[in-house]
Amino acid sequence: MAVTSKGYQGTVWFQREFAVSSKKRGCHLVTDEVLANVPEIANMKIGLLNLHIKHTSASLCLNENWDPDVRVDMEMMLNKLVPDSTPFKHSCEGPDDMPAHVKAAFLGASVNVPLTEGKLNLGTWQGIWLCEHRNHAGKRNLVATLQGALK
């Protein structure tokens, strides 16, 4: 689904919902998947991308895009902070469900990235992560909202 509308003084809004492939538990670099699913980014002179995940047991964040060990270490630390063995009351969806909700609350459901000359204006070592907190999750649905001025 894609929606586009023009705002005041040449401001354009665009929104697209898309799914990213199923991921194993852990932190995954998804910058390229976002760019592939939201080609309209290339048309923006200046603007903002808001990326939102429509799930409560996975999260999004900006972090290291070069060394994959950082993603492994982040998963290790999240598991130390919120172990599956914690005796949560909510347990009807399995032992990894409530810890997943806590981790998602810590990291958040949305990220904002500036857009400059048709590109994500990220730092040299920054990328968009999807953090999957469940052991056996399916595809995850994201909503990308662009606001800004076209080239």
Side-chain angles (χ1 to χ4, degrees), residues 16 18 30-41:
R16 176 182 303 278
F18 62 96
V30 295
T31 309
D32 289 341
E33 281 186 80
V34 170
L35 291 171
N37 281 283
V38 192
E40 295 80 8
I41 290 169

Side-chain angles (χ1 to χ4, degrees), residues 89-100:
K89 287 188 178 195
H90 173 75
S91 61
C92 60
E93 296 179 65
D96 67 333
D97 185 54
M98 190 59 214

Side-chain angles (χ1 to χ4, degrees), residues 46-57:
I46 187 172
L48 185 67
L49 164 68
N50 173 269
L51 193 61
H52 175 76
I53 190 165
K54 295 177 68 173
H55 301 274
T56 60
S57 57

Side-chain angles (χ1 to χ4, degrees), residues 29-141:
L29 187 61
V30 295
T31 309
D32 289 341
E33 281 186 80
V34 170
L35 291 171
N37 281 283
V38 192
E40 295 80 8
I41 290 169
N43 300 326
M44 302 296 291
K45 179 167 183 54
I46 187 172
L48 185 67
L49 164 68
N50 173 269
L51 193 61
H52 175 76
I53 190 165
K54 295 177 68 173
H55 301 274
T56 60
S57 57
S59 54
L60 296 172
C61 69
L62 296 177
N63 214 311
E64 170 74 45
N65 71 354
W66 182 75
D67 185 354
D69 287 344
V70 175
R71 295 190 297 275
V72 172
D73 289 343
M74 178 66 87
E75 174 66 10
M76 176 194 64
M77 285 309 302
L78 287 169
N79 291 328
K80 283 183 181 270
L81 290 170
V82 189
D84 287 355
S85 61
T86 305
F88 291 110
K89 287 188 178 195
H90 173 75
S91 61
C92 60
E93 296 179 65
D96 67 333
D97 185 54
M98 190 59 214
H101 293 309
V102 175
K103 293 170 189 175
F106 283 166
L107 294 177
S110 296
V111 294
N112 291 308
V113 179
L115 304 173
T116 306
E117 297 299 333
K119 296 182 180 173
L120 300 174
N121 195 340
L122 294 168
T124 302
W125 308 114
Q126 286 183 315
I128 301 169
W129 285 14
L130 186 149
C131 299
E132 179 54 66
H133 306 302
R134 295 297 308 266
N135 291 328
H136 304 288
K139 66 181 180 174
R140 295 300 192 168
N141 297 307

